[in-house]
């Protein structure tokens, strides 16, 4: 990975994970390789699962923040870094990263103030100061990715025998030893994980972006009405938690069906339902085309 031989690195880490699928360090390194391969959705899915299986490790949270910030999701980045610091208050990388994120959030707020009131000289001055001082010395993502070795000591202490909760099961007749099936299944589950996380983070735009342009809207309503209703329901809650359990994936060419148990918790509702998502692959990305409950 350090030599830039990413294809060989992913082959080696996959081979090692076949022997030790719950190993935290291997899983973390795979997430870092995928990130360098410009596969943020898959990298985010791996890091999110690490935070669930090893919630005391700060490194996965910090690297989630890297990916979120690179995608402009600074509030999600802030939340991830808060968790990293809560788990390890002495983790200096996360503190610096959080400072960068707050600087970018401040710049965005001052930019909005200027757009709303072009005569606001104070906001203009602050925006210029942020652009020329703090942010000028940081990447656009506003979060620094730590060198992978910084995670080794902590990750090496994680219990590599921990069960992989919620790991996708192969559909009948499919062998996950097939590299194509494994890659497709991982990409499908990454999209499902990103969908659940965007919903949990109340990130409406990221949530809606995971539905295909030809999404089959339930109950015969228009796409515009469905979008408005989903936006209102998500933003109308103070907190949301969505968890995907016991997923099973069936692959058929550029179509995939994922059946799972969905645990939903908010300040207004708690539910556990069986859900089926049908996803289609368009331009190399998996998107939800149909969604059914029951």
């Amino acid at each position: 990975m350090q030599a830039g031989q990413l294809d060989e690195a992913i082959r080696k880490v996959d081979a090692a994970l076949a022997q030790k699928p719950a190993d935290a360090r291997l899983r973390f390194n795979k997430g870092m390789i995928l990130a360098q391969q410009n596969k943020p959705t898959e990298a985010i899915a791996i890091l999110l699962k690490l935070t669930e299986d090893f919630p005391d490790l700060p490194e996965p949270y910090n690297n989630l923040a890297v990916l979120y910030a690179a995608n402009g999701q600074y509030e999600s980045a802030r939340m991830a870094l808060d968790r990293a610091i809560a788990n390890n208050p002495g983790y200096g990388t996360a503190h610096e990263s959080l400072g960068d994120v707050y600087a970018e959030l401040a710049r965005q707020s001052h930019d909005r103030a200027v757009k709303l009131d072009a005569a606001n000289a104070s906001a203009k001055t602050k925006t210029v100061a942020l652009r020329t001082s703090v942010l000028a010395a940081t990447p656009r993502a506003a979060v620094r990715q730590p060198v992978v070795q910084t995670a080794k000591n902590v990750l090496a202490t994680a219990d590599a025998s921990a069960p992989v909760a919620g790991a996708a099961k192969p559909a009948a007749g499919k062998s996950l030893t097939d590299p194509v099936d494994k890659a497709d299944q991982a990409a499908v589950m990454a999209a499902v994980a990103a969908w659940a996380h965007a919903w949990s983070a109340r990130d409406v735009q990221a949530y809606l972006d995971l539905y295909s342009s030809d999404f089959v809207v339930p109950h015969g309503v228009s796409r515009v009405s469905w979008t408005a209703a989903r936006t209102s329901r998500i933003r109308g809650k103070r907190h949301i938690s969505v968890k995907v359990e016991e997923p099973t994936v069936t692959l058929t060419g550029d179509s995939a069906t994922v059946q799972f148990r969905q645990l939903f918790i908010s300040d207004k509702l708690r539910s556990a339902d069986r859900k089926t998502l049908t996803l289609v692959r368009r331009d190399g990305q998996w998107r939800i085309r149909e969604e059914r409950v029951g």
Side-chain angles (χ1 to χ4, degrees), residues 276-293:
T276 301
L277 297 179
T278 300
L279 296 92
V280 290
R281 178 162 45 196
R282 301 279 166 73
D283 297 323
Q285 299 294 320
W286 289 95
R287 294 291 182 265
I288 299 167
R289 188 173 187 274
E290 192 172 355
E291 181 175 1
R292 300 190 304 276
V293 177

Side-chain angles (χ1 to χ4, degrees), residues 1 9-10 12-35 42-55 57 59-60 63-64 67 148 151 155-156 158-168:
M1 178 170 59
I10 204 75
K12 287 184 178 293
V13 80
D14 278 341
L17 282 168
Q19 301 299 319
K20 298 188 289 183
D23 187 280
R25 191 195 307 181
L26 288 171
R27 291 161 63 187
F28 179 84
N29 283 339
K30 181 170 182 177
M32 295 302 92
I33 297 167
L34 289 169
E42 295 177 43
I44 285 172
I46 287 177
L47 293 174
L48 280 172
K49 196 67 179 67
L50 269 176
T51 65
E52 294 174 9
D53 295 345
F54 303 97
L57 298 179
E59 288 82 3
N63 286 274
L64 271 174
L67 296 170
V148 173
L155 290 172
D159 182 4
S161 63
V164 185

Side-chain angles (χ1 to χ4, degrees), residues 166 169 189 192 195-196 199 241-248 258-265 270-277 292-294:
K169 302 173 184 176
M189 287 307 302
V192 173
W195 167 81
W199 193 358
S241 172
V242 180
K243 291 187 178 180
V244 172
E245 295 189 342
E246 303 169 4
T248 301
V258 185
Q259 296 177 313
F260 56 93
R261 182 170 181 260
Q262 175 183 287
L263 298 181
F264 178 91
I265 301 173
R270 298 172 66 95
S271 66
D273 301 294
R274 297 300 303 180
K275 180 166 278 191
T276 301
L277 297 179
R292 300 190 304 276
V293 177

